[in-house]
Amino acid sequence: MSARIVALVFALLILGSAGQSHSRSQPLTLKLTYTMVHGGLKTVVPPASEEMPKLGLALSGGGAKAAASIGILKVLDKEGIPVSFIAGTSMGAGVGGLYAAGFTPEQIEQLFITNDWNSLFTDTPARAFLTQEQKESGDRYLLEFTFDRGRFTPPSGLTAGQKLTNLLAAKTLAASFEADLDFNKLKVPFRAIATDIETGKAVVLDHGLLHEAIRASTAIPIVFQPVEFQGRLLVDGGLVNNLPVDVTKSMGADIVVAVDSSARLERKDQLTSLVEIMGQSISLQVRRKSEEEAARADLVIEPDTSAYSFTDFPSIREIIRKGEEAAQAALPRIHALLSKKTAATGGEEHILITSLIIRGSRDISEASIRYAMMPVISRREASVDGIFAAMVAVSRLGYFSDVTVELESEGEGTRAILTVEENPVVQSIRLSGNTIVSTEEILKTLSWQQGRPLNTTRLLSALDSIVNRCRSQGYLLTRVDRAGLIPGSGTLEIVLYEGRVDSITLVGQRDTQPSLIQRETVTRTGKPLNFISAANDIQHLYALDYFESLTVDMAKSEQGGVDLTLKIKEKPTTKVRLGIRYDLDDYFTGLTDIVVDNVLGRGIQVYLNTRYGNYTDLTLGYHSPVILDTYFVHTVQAFYRERHYFIYDNKQKVNDLDIVRTGAEIAFGYQWFRFGDTYLRYRYATDTTEQTLGINPPKNVTHIGSLAFLTTVDTRDRSVFSHSGILFKGSYETAQPGYGSSNAFTKTSAYAQGNLPLGERHTIILEGSGGIGSGVLPYQEEFGIGGADYLLGIPLLGYQRREFVGEDELGLSLAYQWKIKEYQLKAVKAVYLYVAGQEANVWDSRSSMSLDNLRNGVGIGLHADTIIGPVKFDYAFGEQHRYTVYFSAGFDY
């Protein structure tokens, strides 16, 4: 029974009636209730208020529509209505799981709004974690097939959901650990609903890793691969129970509010993608079950999401607002359900305080105590609740281990005798368990405490600040394990727990060498677990493209730290990748690459790359680490290339050249983490050049033997339609007879691109290029300008591809890119307006180079980011009345 109730009972017994009184015939003692924090600090527990019924939420799925649940939570939070239980299905499990893990509705809202849902529903690794070679090649493919044990193995879903797993794990792994993998011990008890794809039965997930439970509940069939969880193969829970009212009731909720965001089916004009059709199919199947569940709820809130589709993630803000509107409309009914009928007490006793006596205060001034008691003293007449509130205020000064009040009759009023028990003086502070923040820094933070009475309020605030600092750096398991005075001494002992990693176990790894995995990770045993680093480790490993999925399990070790288990599912090593491109110059160009990855588990890649259409490329080679646990690499490859070049004079084609190059190269280099790479390369090639016009056109054979130094830095967020980051490419190449070359020449080139974001949708793109050649450069080694792409040279809008050729080059470009519209989970992802002004020229001698005779080009275009790659339509004009139209679909290669 709470202190407040005890006091009221005593008061009623003394008075013998329910009326008001200003004096008392017998003393009454009021005592506070205390609890121990961190195993050694005594803090007050405020008197319990009248107990409210326990409210539970049942959150439905519905894709983007389920974001309306966030609006419901925002309104409940603002009204101070506590949620005691949550059960969710599919996206409702995502919202509910994050709330149960401790995120505020505003934090969940921000996560949903800022998340790139297009990226989340693909398995493409984040570009920031790719090597430069992967950045240059990875965007080219439309389809990828794996080949295993003599047959092609199609995936069980369009995506393995690795990015969604990474996101959820980063947000909820610490909460899972703190709750001992028991969903009842989360900030709010939680259940996720999934479907056992083998039996078709509903599975209520109440323990384990929270992120895996949410992933299982959101595994839309065909879109996401099923999730193996606790011995079952699970998919989206919406198939069997999209509105888990029964589950919420079984958790102990007195009142269940069901939030059905998908009650209204989508119109046919909204069903424009595979995901939307899948979502509608699920809704059709589960409608009857949802209606049955809704009938069991005390209140059903149906946000009006009829104007939005299953994949309408760009409208998240509006959908959340629909949830807020629905919750506001339902508030009177919610308050009515929560109001508890209690027997009338006949009125609350008021006590006339005629004097206040303070006892037990030695080092703490009476003035500060009287100030805390001011609400009671100033009004003279006080309720028992008011006296308790004043006692809590005194206790929260932090200096006292006990506060009591005795009420004695004094004439026609009441004398209040406040007795406090001061905390001992702290003579010294002993720290242990801290490695993240130094002992000196912590002691400096707590210097105010030494030599003064223990102040639990201020100490707890300071310790929270230290813990929050560690957690903000990614050490989410940091907490105060123990804090308090050592009995019989004046020593304040503080023991921190930082989540030390005691073991790391690999599960599912068959071929990949452990040293290769260790190279990509920084998490080590004996160090505190940093969740930011651990999440990056998973990203780095996944970016290798050797693994279909990676998940991390956590458990408390016998030594009191953390045991990590990295569960790996390796991909088949052989992959066939396909791509296609169309443009007005080459028409259709196809791409087929056959790659054998991670040979012998040592990161070796063997590949056969082919390009075919108006030109032909064949490249056979391998790429391998020099030393397994370093980023030193080497590449050996042989190639065959056919190119067709048009020769222009005064805007007219005057000749064409067919050039066939065969050769091989070997390169040694270093991958600069994920920012770029540097290579030293030897190349030997034979070029056969033939003019296609004239009778018996001449055929020339040239040998090239050269050494080259190549370096690249690439921090762009995307390779096409970049919004931020830079790209730099530099090279120096020298060909000499001693290297096997027919002619001696040198060639130096540099290219730089900077993307300057102006808000979320606007980008300024600055580009510059320069090159210097000397000696006898073969035609195909000369610098070429003209066109809208980099396939044969450097772009210059308004001109034909590679219209001008020379041994020296200089170019500048200024462009503006505006993302007009963005789409989520559509065939077209975004539409852009592109405007550019460019200047460039080439010269046959360095002495002729001048900024005064650069050629000008201006263009405007409408570009689109689509599922087949960039689609670009540009209209441009150059000097001498040049007007040119460019169109391309697909990536450059």
Side-chain angles (χ1 to χ4, degrees), residues 136-382:
E136 293 176 356
S137 65
D139 284 335
R140 301 171 180 172
Y141 309 112
L142 296 181
L143 296 172
E144 177 179 291
F145 301 92
T146 57
F147 190 76
D148 188 29
R149 300 175 185 175
R151 62 187 179 89
F152 285 103
T153 55
S156 53
L158 295 180
T159 169
Q162 183 65 42
K163 286 187 177 178
L164 181 56
T165 299
N166 291 347
L167 175 65
L168 293 171
K171 300 298 181 183
T172 67
L173 204 53
S176 296
F177 184 81
E178 291 295 326
D180 292 325
L181 308 185
D182 182 353
F183 295 173
N184 288 318
K185 297 180 181 179
L186 293 168
K187 301 290 185 182
V188 179
F190 172 71
R191 300 290 185 270
I193 316 303
T195 302
D196 188 325
I197 196 64
E198 183 180 9
T199 65
K201 294 181 178 179
V203 179
V204 179
L205 304 175
D206 60 2
H207 67 281
L209 290 166
L210 181 57
H211 72 273
E212 289 189 351
I214 298 173
R215 258 292 285 120
S217 184
T218 56
I220 305 170
I222 298 179
V223 177
F224 286 117
Q225 294 181 13
V227 176
E228 293 184 27
F229 187 71
Q230 298 175 0
R232 296 184 176 98
L233 194 62
L234 304 180
V235 296
D236 195 307
L239 294 171
V240 289
N241 190 355
N242 197 46
L243 193 64
V245 173
D246 56 342
V247 176
T248 311
K249 278 185 177 292
S250 70
M251 296 172 72
D254 299 312
I255 297 169
V256 175
V257 175
V259 182
D260 194 351
S261 303
S262 58
R264 296 175 174 85
L265 297 175
E266 296 179 22
R267 303 185 305 270
K268 67 178 182 179
D269 60 315
Q270 294 174 313
L271 303 174
T272 58
S273 73
L274 174 64
V275 178
E276 287 163 351
I277 293 172
M278 287 302 305
Q280 184 87 324
S281 301
I282 293 173
S283 297
L284 290 171
Q285 293 181 50
V286 305
R287 197 67 245 150
R288 180 175 298 177
K289 173 66 175 174
S290 294
E291 290 170 356
E292 293 175 359
E293 289 294 308
R296 296 189 179 100
D298 297 283
L299 174 64
V300 179
I301 300 177
E302 294 182 358
D304 184 7
T305 59
S306 57
Y308 309 99
S309 69
F310 189 83
T311 61
D312 209 347
F313 291 100
S315 301
I316 287 290
R317 281 190 176 90
E318 291 87 347
I319 294 172
I320 293 174
R321 190 158 53 247
K322 291 293 184 182
E324 293 181 65
E325 293 170 359
Q328 288 288 351
L331 271 179
R333 177 61 178 154
I334 295 173
H335 282 301
L337 289 169
L338 291 173
S339 62
K340 186 175 183 180
K341 295 180 180 179
T342 57
T345 62
E348 187 177 11
E349 178 192 12
H350 283 75
I351 302 166
L352 177 61
I353 305 294
T354 53
S355 64
L356 173 64
I357 298 173
I358 298 174
R359 294 175 179 171
S361 175
R362 299 186 310 274
D363 298 315
I364 308 305
S365 68
E366 284 193 11
S368 60
I369 299 174
R370 288 183 178 275
Y371 183 80
M373 292 291 291
M374 188 62 70
V376 174
I377 301 171
S378 60
R379 288 196 297 266
R380 308 291 287 179
E381 286 190 359

Side-chain angles (χ1 to χ4, degrees), residues 412-720:
E412 294 183 358
T414 301
R415 176 193 299 120
I417 303 172
L418 176 70
T419 303
V420 295
E421 183 179 328
E422 287 189 2
N423 291 324
V425 173
V426 175
Q427 302 295 343
S428 61
I429 300 175
R430 180 191 300 172
L431 284 172
S432 62
N434 60 299
T435 62
I436 303 168
V437 182
S438 69
T439 298
E440 294 76 13
E441 199 168 348
I442 295 176
L443 289 178
K444 183 178 179 180
T445 302
L446 301 177
S447 60
W448 55 268
Q449 178 64 89
Q450 202 149 339
R452 302 186 65 188
L454 175 66
N455 188 318
T456 54
T457 300
R458 190 173 176 186
L459 177 61
L460 286 172
S461 176
L463 293 177
D464 284 344
S465 176
I466 294 168
V467 168
N468 290 336
R469 175 181 170 184
C470 295
R471 291 183 175 183
S472 69
Q473 297 173 24
Y475 299 98
L476 300 183
L477 298 182
T478 304
R479 66 172 186 266
V480 179
D481 209 26
R482 185 185 180 281
L485 287 167
I486 299 176
S489 74
T491 300
L492 173 61
E493 182 183 37
I494 299 172
V495 180
L496 293 178
Y497 175 85
E498 297 178 335
R500 182 190 65 250
V501 178
D502 287 332
S503 70
I504 302 175
T505 305
L506 299 178
V507 174
Q509 165 227 1
R510 297 173 305 176
D511 302 320
T512 307
Q513 296 294 316
S515 55
L516 191 60
I517 293 176
Q518 190 174 26
R519 185 192 72 176
E520 299 296 321
T521 58
V522 298
T523 302
R524 296 289 184 268
T525 57
K527 301 291 185 181
L529 177 60
N530 187 294
F531 282 75
I532 296 175
S533 299
N536 286 340
D537 288 346
I538 295 296
Q539 296 263 41
H540 282 297
L541 289 171
Y542 189 65
L544 291 174
D545 203 27
Y546 304 156
F547 310 112
E548 186 174 294
S549 63
L550 300 110
T551 57
V552 176
D553 282 359
M554 293 173 55
K556 292 184 178 178
S557 68
E558 293 181 357
Q559 298 79 21
V562 181
D563 287 334
L564 294 181
T565 301
L566 178 61
K567 296 191 294 186
I568 295 172
K569 186 175 181 181
E570 293 180 327
K571 283 184 177 181
T573 57
T574 303
K575 305 161 190 174
V576 179
R577 295 165 171 167
L578 305 176
I580 192 169
R581 171 187 165 85
Y582 175 84
D583 63 61
L584 297 178
D585 287 308
D586 293 324
Y587 301 107
F588 286 99
T589 303
L591 172 154
T592 301
D593 290 350
I594 301 173
V595 178
V596 183
D597 246 338
N598 200 20
V599 177
L600 303 176
R602 302 181 63 85
I604 300 171
Q605 182 186 85
V606 180
Y607 53 87
L608 174 63
N609 299 337
T610 64
R611 314 286 185 270
Y612 40 87
N614 200 35
Y615 64 88
T616 301
D617 271 7
L618 296 173
T619 305
L620 176 65
Y622 81 90
H623 179 275
S624 172
V626 176
I627 304 172
L628 198 58
D629 58 355
T630 72
Y631 288 100
F632 288 98
V633 294
H634 73 281
T635 299
V636 177
Q637 60 182 27
F639 49 81
Y640 173 88
R641 296 168 187 165
E642 291 182 4
R643 289 286 187 276
H644 188 77
Y645 298 92
F646 291 109
I647 309 300
Y648 294 89
D649 184 22
N650 194 25
K651 300 193 293 185
Q652 302 298 318
K653 294 179 182 177
V654 296
N655 208 338
D656 352 10
L657 295 178
D658 282 331
I659 300 178
V660 176
R661 170 172 288 180
T662 58
E665 62 186 36
I666 182 170
F668 291 89
Y670 187 80
Q671 297 172 351
W672 296 101
F673 191 55
R674 299 297 188 255
F675 299 113
D677 53 31
T678 298
Y679 280 94
L680 182 63
R681 182 193 70 192
Y682 172 75
R683 176 179 63 165
Y684 181 80
T686 298
D687 288 352
T688 302
T689 304
E690 183 176 7
Q691 297 182 16
T692 59
L693 299 181
I695 302 174
N696 296 321
K699 181 183 293 187
N700 296 320
V701 177
T702 303
H703 301 288
I704 299 174
S706 68
L707 280 176
F709 176 81
L710 314 166
T711 189
T712 303
V713 175
D714 187 355
T715 65
R716 296 174 298 169
D717 57 343
R718 306 182 63 189
S719 60
V720 183

Side-chain angles (χ1 to χ4, degrees), residues 581-588 788-789 801 862-864 868 870-875 884-890:
R581 171 187 165 85
Y582 175 84
D583 63 61
L584 297 178
D585 287 308
D586 293 324
Y587 301 107
F588 286 99
D789 53 49
R801 184 186 288 175
L862 194 63
H863 299 170
I868 65 169
V871 175
K872 299 181 179 182
F873 176 82
D874 293 282
Y875 180 73
T884 311
V885 173
Y886 306 101
F887 176 79
S888 65

